[in-house]
Amino acid sequence: MRHASTTGRSPALHGGRSAAAVCSHTRSASRLCLCLFVLGTLTLLPMLLGAQSEKSTSEESLLLGEIPSVFGASRFNQAVTEAPASVSVISSDEIAAYGWRTLADLLKTVRGFYISNDRSYAYVGTRGFSRPGDYNSRVLVLVDGTRANENIFGGGYVGRESLVEMATVERVEVIRGPASSLYGSSAFFGIINVVTKRGRAQTGVRATAEMASFGAKEAVVSGGARSRHGIEFFASAGSRRADGQDFYYPEFDSPPGNFGRAINRDREAQDRLFAKLEWRDLSLEGALNSRLKVVPTASYGTAFNVGQQELVDNSKFLTLRYQPTGAGVSTFSGSVSLNHYDFRFDYPFDSATTGQDLAVGRWAITEWQYTRTVRGLHRLILGGMYTHNFRQEQTYAERLDAPLILSSNDKIQTVGVFALTELRLHPKLIFNGGFRYDNTTRLGGNFNPRAALIYKLGEGSAIKALYGNAYRAPNNFERFYDDNGRVQKGNPSLDQENITTYELLVEKLLSRKLKAAASVYRYQARQLIDQNLDPADSLLQYRNTGQANGQGIETEVEVDFGVVTGRGSYALQRARIPTAPGPVQNSPTHIAALNVAARVLADRATVALEVRGMSSRHMYTGDRVPGYAISNVVLSSRRLYRGIELTGGVYNALNASYSDPVSEEHRQSSILQDKRNFRLSVGYAF
């Protein structure tokens, strides 16, 4: 019963903080945002005024290490400054230094991104848009270039429910803007491409044991090897258990609800495995993740503190890939991926009645790509994709012992073809453009072009003018889910969403130790899919409700002084939905983040500070949750003594109290997030 309602409720039905408290928290967050904005503006000023006019030298090209490359922006490796998108590349070294345990942790500090959590899932927001409870169906998650969004809810998961475990990550490519011209549906607001480790990246075995607040315990074992015959193998396995927290929810403050106290209702268990085998141009990789989460919030109208509101996500994939590593004039690559997703949700309506949702997804994806390089300068890519859904089933039962009611058994197929060209019109001028056409069973076709003009200011510097179009097909849940007249009904006639985005981006090396980026963008989304209340039967139903518009500015500064590295970002964004009454939910106007890491103890350890915050956001009641600023401090070492590794972190170190807006499936209009907590892990590499 994954409902994601967006209709309004009366504020009188919900408790809230005083206006003074809201203003106080908002001012604190605004001051943080203002400070980082001023820092970014002062740093960017010389670039904007043209003060730095001399050519970059080969010495400057070593700024912050080598200029990072990105694969996901064009389906081939290219320098970030030549990619037709605004791109951030996060390395495994950063992941280790800042102690990020999930993709959601990482994305919280990426320019223009933010994360919400309702104690069930983590939700990605970017460019002012994050509909509570939409399961990230408007962001495409890739694992080594292959799509990982499942075929029931369209979810691209980034929390503990994700297929990706951080011990397997070599780097994460965050690519902003529409990308359906290459990847089809769901590449709506951006792409998160996770590039996994190879055997050569970690020779030997590493074992880690971890304990953390809220009764969390975790063990991870990973290892890699490379033979003299060129065979590489990498694998990682982990298991985590957490008791969770006890909560107080004033919405349930009555004797039947244990006076609002949710006791022992936040437990979580997770088991995962990843393996990758490579030989020459062939690779075979697979992963599985099983997560059980006990939900403390009594969502979907369930009884508070009665029984177990329990959800289970099981995901698996196996991918065989042929990817030539050479730089020949003509190359052919392809892959076949088998995918598996199971979902179960038990929700007690009272002590005698427990409903159950089940979802089963089975699908295969095959992709191919032909690349032709002319004179070593121009590139033409032709490709295609076919997705075959073997199973897309959703069932509902009013009681655990009752027969299941089938709400959908649709098995749609999608065929897509695309063409991309990169033309070097001048040593400093690059044109990158292309299109893709997709046809989906019973939904019809969709044509999505893109174009980019990139002017290189020098090594590591560029100005980019970007245009792109993307679409999102309605997922199986939105079209067909029906809980037998209790809350929701299906809508098989849903149409596809579309978005058009324009962006101007400047990336500039300001000195050997400093670089900056600034962009301005505007988008318009059409045929937006939202959930509405049908007055005829008082049931919720997904409908194409209209359009959404957004615009904003994103800035970022990176520094590398050798011993100390860091980056700071600020985003000013504004989104609106003209056809919906009131402000856009969960859409902060200001987002800021600052990350600083310093090597200490003769380079054997790293101390990292992370500060991030955002301005207030609207809830479905029309009220606002206050803005906030939190800080994390992490000490890590991989060379402390022989093979011993140690990581310790304090998160939300100043014990800030803050909440995230949630969807109307909750009686709460916002959910409290973690206060101060810690993590300590000890590892041994051998």
Side-chain angles (χ1 to χ4, degrees):
M1 192 183 287
R2 283 186 172 185
H3 311 301
S5 173
T6 58
T7 56
R9 287 188 184 178
S10 169
L13 297 177
H14 299 269
R17 299 189 183 188
S18 68
V22 172
C23 291
S24 174
H25 284 79
T26 303
R27 282 195 298 268
S28 298
S30 298
R31 281 194 292 268
L32 170 68
C33 294
L34 181 60
C35 290
L36 291 179
F37 175 68
V38 171
L39 173 64
T41 302
L42 291 176
T43 308
L44 289 171
L45 191 59
M47 175 184 64
L48 299 176
L49 296 179
Q52 175 102 3
S53 60
E54 66 272 13
K55 292 184 178 180
S56 298
T57 65
S58 59
E59 187 178 31
E60 279 187 321
S61 71
L62 299 177
L63 173 75
L64 303 172
E66 294 183 2
I67 298 170
S69 64
V70 58
F71 176 86
S74 298
R75 286 184 176 266
F76 62 85
N77 285 312
Q78 59 188 157
V80 165
T81 49
E82 296 184 359
S86 173
V87 178
S88 294
V89 179
I90 311 299
S91 69
S92 57
D93 289 338
E94 284 185 85
I95 293 171
Y98 291 100
W100 296 321
R101 308 306 297 153
T102 64
L103 278 176
D105 292 340
L106 180 154
L107 291 170
K108 290 174 184 177
T109 67
V110 172
R111 178 173 83 242
F113 277 74
Y114 60 104
I115 298 292
S116 304
N117 195 303
D118 64 359
R119 298 285 165 188
S120 296
Y121 293 95
Y123 306 98
V124 178
T126 182
R127 298 192 163 175
F129 202 93
S130 177
R131 306 302 280 168
D134 76 348
Y135 305 100
N136 304 329
S137 60
R138 295 180 177 95
V139 175
L140 182 63
V141 177
L142 307 173
V143 178
D144 291 322
T146 300
R147 60 187 302 128
N149 292 47
E150 40 83 6
N151 71 343
I152 301 295
F153 308 99
Y157 301 117
V158 296
R160 296 285 179 184
E161 64 278 6
S162 170
L163 267 169
V164 176
E165 205 286 314
M166 301 310 279
T168 70
V169 176
E170 180 62 29
R171 71 178 189 271
V172 177
E173 303 171 349
V174 181
I175 304 163
R176 301 167 185 82
S180 289
S181 56
L182 285 180
Y183 295 100
S185 180
S186 294
F188 203 75
F189 281 106
I191 296 171
I192 302 165
N193 182 33
V194 180
V195 180
T196 59
K197 291 180 179 178
R198 308 178 67 181
R200 69 185 70 178
Q202 181 183 314
T203 56
V205 177
R206 176 181 291 122
T208 303
E210 175 179 310
M211 62 179 295
S213 298
F214 319 129
K217 300 176 180 63
E218 183 172 12
V220 179
V221 178
S222 60
R226 184 183 187 187
S227 75
R228 59 187 180 88
H229 301 292
I231 299 174
E232 297 188 54
F233 178 74
F234 177 81
S236 174
S239 182
R240 180 179 183 271
R241 300 293 184 268
D243 297 332
Q245 307 173 61
D246 295 335
F247 295 96
Y248 167 71
Y249 296 117
E251 294 82 1
F252 299 100
D253 195 345
S254 63
N258 195 30
F259 296 98
R261 294 189 298 273
I263 308 299
N264 199 23
R265 290 290 189 276
D266 190 40
R267 295 193 305 277
E268 187 172 40
Q270 180 190 25
D271 298 295
R272 56 189 182 273
L273 175 66
F274 174 86
K276 186 181 201 177
L277 179 66
E278 297 177 277
W279 179 66
R280 295 184 178 176
D281 297 332
L282 287 172
S283 67
L284 178 66
E285 67 180 89
L288 62 86
N289 182 52
S290 177
R291 184 192 71 141
L292 180 149
K293 182 68 172 68
V294 178
V295 181
T297 58
S299 51
Y300 311 108
T302 57
F304 184 75
N305 237 3
V306 174
Q308 295 282 12
Q309 187 180 2
E310 183 178 284
L311 61 85
V312 176
D313 292 274
N314 289 317
S315 301
K316 305 173 187 176
F317 81 86
L318 182 67
T319 300
L320 176 64
R321 183 178 295 109
Y322 174 73
Q323 181 73 51
T325 55
V329 173
S330 299
T331 60
F332 178 86
S333 60
S335 66
V336 178
S337 178
L338 300 177
N339 303 269
H340 171 123
Y341 176 70
D342 286 335
F343 169 80
R344 175 174 63 82
F345 195 7
D346 299 335
Y347 36 95
F349 293 114
D350 53 48
S351 58
T353 306
T354 298
Q356 185 178 77
D357 278 324
L358 295 176
V360 178
R362 304 286 187 272
W363 68 103
I365 303 172
T366 179
E367 297 181 88
W368 61 269
Q369 177 176 311
Y370 171 77
T371 303
R372 173 80 176 180
T373 304
V374 181
R375 298 179 183 176
L377 296 174
H378 312 303
R379 187 178 276 106
L380 173 67
I381 298 176
L382 302 174
M385 182 194 77
Y386 173 64
T387 301
H388 184 86
N389 290 287
F390 303 105
R391 296 181 69 181
Q392 289 179 286
E393 297 177 5
Q394 296 179 81
T395 53
Y396 169 80
E398 194 69 23
R399 302 186 317 276
L400 294 183
D401 59 350
L404 294 172
I405 301 169
L406 184 68
S407 63
S408 70
N409 187 22
D410 198 31
K411 292 181 285 189
I412 65 172
Q413 326 304 331
T414 299
V415 177
V417 293
F418 68 88
L420 172 71
T421 184
E422 183 187 71
L423 301 175
R424 296 183 177 267
L425 306 176
H426 182 272
K428 292 186 176 183
L429 188 63
I430 301 172
F431 171 78
N432 188 303
F435 65 87
R436 174 167 168 148
Y437 177 79
D438 290 274
N439 190 280
T440 302
T441 309
R442 291 183 289 283
L443 291 175
N446 214 297
F447 178 80
N448 293 278
R450 86 170 186 189
L453 196 61
I454 303 166
Y455 183 76
K456 299 179 66 176
L457 300 172
E459 190 72 23
S461 301
I463 299 176
K464 304 178 183 180
L466 310 172
Y467 159 81
N469 198 75
Y471 83 102
R472 183 180 76 91
N475 57 56
N476 192 269
F477 171 71
E478 293 167 335
R479 294 177 65 205
F480 296 111
Y481 181 80
D482 189 314
D483 57 7
N484 200 29
R486 178 179 282 274
V487 176
Q488 182 176 329
K489 62 181 179 181
N491 184 3
S493 62
L494 277 174
D495 203 353
Q496 303 172 87
E497 296 180 332
N498 288 272
I499 189 172
T500 301
T501 299
Y502 303 90
E503 183 173 1
L504 181 64
L505 170 67
V506 180
E507 299 170 330
K508 180 67 175 176
L509 295 185
L510 300 176
S511 73
R512 293 181 55 218
K513 302 178 184 297
L514 182 67
K515 72 178 179 180
S519 67
V520 57
Y521 64 85
R522 183 180 181 87
Y523 64 80
Q524 182 181 80
R526 301 168 297 278
Q527 292 289 94
L528 194 69
I529 298 173
D530 250 344
Q531 200 172 57
N532 295 263
L533 188 68
D534 189 340
D537 52 20
S538 297
L539 293 179
L540 294 169
Q541 185 182 51
Y542 283 96
R543 296 176 181 174
N544 295 103
T545 57
Q547 70 180 41
N549 302 322
Q551 55 194 3
I553 300 171
E554 296 173 346
T555 64
E556 185 171 67
V557 177
E558 292 186 62
V559 297
D560 186 348
F561 296 104
V563 175
V564 178
T565 60
R567 56 184 166 89
S569 66
Y570 167 76
L572 172 65
Q573 53 193 22
R574 192 174 301 277
R576 64 188 185 93
I577 302 177
T579 56
V584 178
Q585 297 175 37
N586 197 25
S587 180
T589 302
H590 308 279
I591 305 175
L594 177 66
N595 291 73
V596 179
R599 298 199 297 271
V600 297
L601 299 178
D603 283 354
R604 291 189 298 175
T606 301
V607 177
L609 170 67
E610 174 185 326
V611 182
R612 55 183 171 82
M614 68 177 73
S615 58
S616 62
R617 293 165 287 168
H618 280 92
M619 302 176 285
Y620 65 71
T621 61
D623 296 329
R624 292 174 180 262
V625 295
Y628 68 87
I630 66 170
S631 56
N632 305 327
V633 181
V634 177
L635 172 65
S636 61
S637 174
R638 290 197 172 184
R639 294 184 296 162
L640 190 62
Y641 178 73
R642 294 185 179 179
I644 297 176
E645 304 169 350
L646 179 67
T647 299
V650 180
Y651 302 87
N652 193 0
L654 300 181
N655 206 31
S657 180
Y658 69 104
S659 300
D660 284 336
V662 294
S663 61
E664 284 189 87
E665 62 207 30
H666 302 84
R667 280 184 61 184
Q668 307 92 328
S669 52
S670 65
I671 298 294
L672 186 69
Q673 300 303 298
D674 293 345
K675 300 193 78 173
R676 184 188 296 119
N677 60 97
F678 76 92
R679 180 175 68 88
L680 176 65
S681 69
V682 179
Y684 185 74
F686 52 92

